[in-house]
Amino acid sequence: INAEYMDEAVPYKLHEEEHQLEVCHPSTKEIKCYSYDDILWWNVNQWDAFKRVALKTVEGVLEGINGTIFAYGQSGTGKTFSLVGPEPLSKAKVVKYGILPMSVHYIFHKMGANEDIVKSEVVVSFLEIYLEQLKDLIEPPIPGKTSKKLKILEMAEGEFRLFMAEKESPAAYRKLKHAQRKRKNKKKEEEVIIVQNLSEHRVQNAQDFVKLCVQANDNRSKHETNLNASSSRSHMICQVQLKISKRNGTQTVSKLNIVDLAGSEKISKTQVKGSALDEAKSINASLTTLRNVIDGLAKGRKHVPFRDSKLSMILKDSLGGNTRTSLLIAVSPHKWNFDESILSLE
């Protein structure tokens, strides 16, 4: 909040050692405390935010452990800035990068410094979910031309590995197929979710990735709202696939999902109409499903409603599978946004 509006701010108090955030209700004066793994105050810089939110997850990806990082919160609270960085990103210094380009920069830096790595491959894709429709943000559909429809596929891990090997080469496919036939102990496999026909792009360095990141962000559905002059009206999922081969013959395959969720909003406040109203309803519905999924997983429920939205379905193996997952919650300290901030915190 700008200095001249500080009298309109809700007082928040940070208890650093306890990792607790204390907030006083502006009307009732009721005090609530919320505990988290970490709390980033308003003056944190981008590099420190990366270290505290993403570093452990990214280092896990380098060791072959899948990782996912979400940004969630009300429209206009800085989710896209936290994940992507300032605009124009192409002119930003590395220290100003958001978590997404900073993660890829870190991956290339660590691979380049590791003499045990003999071969590495980084492949990325950018997907948008807008009004429950899937869109390739790097190769978007061209009006008047027929394009391949994006489709969500669910498969067992072994089937997924065959799918990837077939894309690599016929020889790689035959070798893996033979190895799978010889395997005696066939335990139940994890499920893997892929988006069929989504374009994948090999990048050689962090600069290549930033170019794709800028292109994807430019192709996102954005509109001005009462909460944000350039509000992202869609969910964006960037997937970074990493394959590393080492001198001792070991190979790791992992992926990093970074998800910039569209901002939640109270329609009664934004007063949107027409297509903007449809957008807001769709965003709120998918975010509600995501909250229900996370709640179901946390409470160990037998039925978790992954299939209630495309967002939760695509992220099924990131939320309920073998993945290290972090959630970044962005909140506003303004009185006008108090209810939405509390909803996000809770």
Side-chain angles (χ1 to χ4, degrees), residues 107-108 111-112 117-123 202-204 241-246:
I107 285 169
F108 276 109
M111 290 193 306
I117 295 176
V118 294
K119 186 180 179 182
S120 62
E121 184 178 297
V122 180
V123 177
R202 189 173 297 175
V203 292
Q204 303 297 332
Q241 299 176 47
L242 184 60
K243 185 188 289 186
I244 292 177
S245 301
K246 294 187 176 180

Side-chain angles (χ1 to χ4, degrees), residues 103-337:
S103 297
V104 175
H105 182 272
Y106 185 85
I107 285 169
F108 276 109
H109 171 73
K110 294 297 284 187
M111 290 193 306
N114 190 337
E115 295 180 354
D116 289 334
I117 295 176
V118 294
K119 186 180 179 182
S120 62
E121 184 178 297
V122 180
V123 177
V124 302
S125 61
F126 286 86
L127 175 70
E128 176 183 70
I129 305 175
Y130 174 68
L131 295 175
E132 283 298 288
Q133 298 297 311
L134 305 180
K135 173 183 169 184
D136 190 328
L137 286 172
I138 302 301
E139 297 181 4
I142 300 172
K145 286 193 174 183
T146 305
S147 57
K148 291 183 179 179
K149 188 177 180 180
L150 303 185
K151 185 179 179 181
I152 302 171
L153 297 181
E154 189 174 6
M155 56 180 69
E157 188 175 358
E159 188 182 355
F160 169 72
R161 291 185 181 279
L162 282 173
F163 174 80
M164 297 301 290
E166 189 175 23
K167 290 195 335 185
E168 185 179 333
S169 69
Y173 175 82
R174 289 193 297 270
K175 183 179 178 181
L176 183 58
K177 187 76 173 175
H178 179 69
Q180 287 184 351
R181 283 175 181 162
K182 287 179 67 177
R183 194 178 301 143
K184 293 180 180 179
N185 298 324
K186 294 186 178 180
K187 58 182 181 179
K188 187 178 179 181
E189 295 180 324
E190 294 278 347
E191 289 181 335
V192 178
I193 306 296
I194 67 166
V195 178
Q196 189 179 34
N197 297 323
L198 180 64
S199 68
E200 297 179 337
H201 304 266
R202 189 173 297 175
V203 292
Q204 303 297 332
N205 50 54
Q207 289 72 33
D208 286 350
F209 177 79
V210 167
K211 290 176 184 176
L212 289 176
C213 199
V214 170
Q215 186 178 342
N217 206 38
D218 287 345
N219 287 330
R220 281 186 81 178
S221 300
K222 299 178 187 177
H223 299 297
E224 183 178 352
T225 71
N226 288 350
L227 296 172
N228 193 350
S230 181
S231 177
S232 302
R233 312 308 293 155
S234 64
H235 309 302
M236 182 180 77
I237 303 172
C238 172
Q239 184 172 103
V240 181
Q241 299 176 47
L242 184 60
K243 185 188 289 186
I244 292 177
S245 301
K246 294 187 176 180
R247 293 188 189 279
N248 61 7
T250 60
Q251 185 181 83
T252 59
V253 179
S254 56
K255 63 180 179 181
L256 173 66
N257 287 320
I258 295 189
V259 186
D260 185 15
L261 297 169
S264 60
E265 61 184 63
K266 273 197 170 182
I267 295 171
S268 58
K269 279 187 178 180
T270 54
Q271 298 292 309
V272 290
K273 297 178 181 178
S275 60
L277 178 61
D278 293 334
E279 289 175 349
K281 285 180 177 178
S282 178
I283 290 166
N284 290 343
S286 63
L287 291 175
T288 298
T289 298
L290 182 62
R291 281 199 295 269
N292 292 338
V293 165
I294 292 171
D295 187 58
L297 290 169
K299 294 177 179 176
R301 292 191 179 125
K302 288 185 179 179
H303 173 69
V304 179
F306 287 109
R307 296 180 181 276
D308 285 3
S309 79
K310 285 190 169 69
L311 173 67
S312 54
M313 186 61 197
I314 288 171
L315 297 172
K316 182 179 179 181
D317 60 340
S318 299
L319 291 166
N322 182 26
T323 304
R324 183 178 287 165
T325 302
S326 299
L327 177 62
L328 173 67
I329 304 164
V331 297
S332 164
H334 200 284
K335 287 180 181 178
W336 197 64
N337 299 323

Side-chain angles (χ1 to χ4, degrees), residues 18-38:
E18 297 85 0
H19 288 180
Q20 281 192 339
L21 189 64
E22 182 182 307
V23 57
C24 178
H25 194 289
S27 302
T28 65
K29 305 304 178 186
E30 178 188 4
I31 293 175
K32 287 189 175 184
C33 280
Y34 301 93
S35 298
Y36 302 98
D37 295 304
D38 201 351

